[in-house]
Amino acid sequence: MHGPMRMPGHWFDELAAGGGSPEAVGFLVEGERARRLVLLKELLGRLEERPALLGPADLGTVWRTVERAAARRPGCVEELLLSPQVGSWLAHTLRRLHGASPGSPIWVDAGHLAAIALVAALRAGTAAEFVVPARDGAVALPTLGLAG
């Protein structure tokens, strides 16, 4: 377990003034990366406990796809996981699992993990084959757009 992240005051001053050195911005990126990994770990734990939340997708198959993609091209998978679309989905899905946000059937939101895995495989050039949920006849592919 890591302790709290503390931003040095001079980096805060740089950012507050509307600028920011590469080190200050890097600190923010690393903080967001750590936050995403904690949220992703929480989501994966919930899905392991309740696999039916993924609908027809299989968590083991989906996550192995992400791992294979990360092994082949780690930078592209990290970029995907840090994308705004994935961050919004992750926060929304965890709120849904906590009953704090209404929406479509939960497996549509949770099952979006399969679409993320599919994009990871596409970016890394690895194979993937599984069911992904559609909304209104279209599949959202983070960083790529809608496929319909």
Side-chain angles (χ1 to χ4, degrees):
M1 182 106 183
H2 297 285
M5 295 180 71
R6 297 192 191 283
M7 176 181 279
H10 65 281
W11 288 352
F12 181 84
D13 293 342
E14 291 173 16
L15 294 165
S21 64
E23 294 82 12
V25 173
F27 179 87
L28 294 177
V29 170
E30 185 55 35
E32 182 59 21
R33 180 183 181 279
R35 177 183 164 278
R36 294 276 176 97
L37 291 175
V38 166
L39 294 176
L40 186 57
K41 183 177 179 184
E42 174 67 18
L43 177 63
L44 292 174
R46 300 274 175 150
L47 295 176
E48 283 178 352
E49 292 170 3
R50 297 173 53 201
L53 292 174
L54 278 176
D58 173 66
L59 180 59
T61 302
V62 169
W63 195 247
R64 279 190 299 278
T65 300
V66 174
E67 289 173 334
R68 276 193 307 275
R72 184 159 188 202
R73 295 198 56 214
C76 74
V77 173
E78 181 151 333
E79 181 182 306
L80 172 63
L81 293 177
L82 288 175
S83 71
Q85 298 99 327
V86 172
S88 295
W89 161 78
L90 188 53
H92 171 74
T93 301
L94 285 168
R95 282 192 302 275
R96 292 286 318 275
L97 292 175
H98 283 92
S101 182
S104 54
I106 188 68
W107 66 266
V108 174
D109 287 325
H112 186 65
L113 181 61
I116 292 166
L118 180 61
V119 172
L122 287 169
R123 287 172 153 232
T126 57
E129 185 176 330
F130 38 76
V131 176
V132 294
R135 276 182 217 268
D136 301 321
V139 175
L141 300 171
T143 73
L144 299 179
L146 287 174

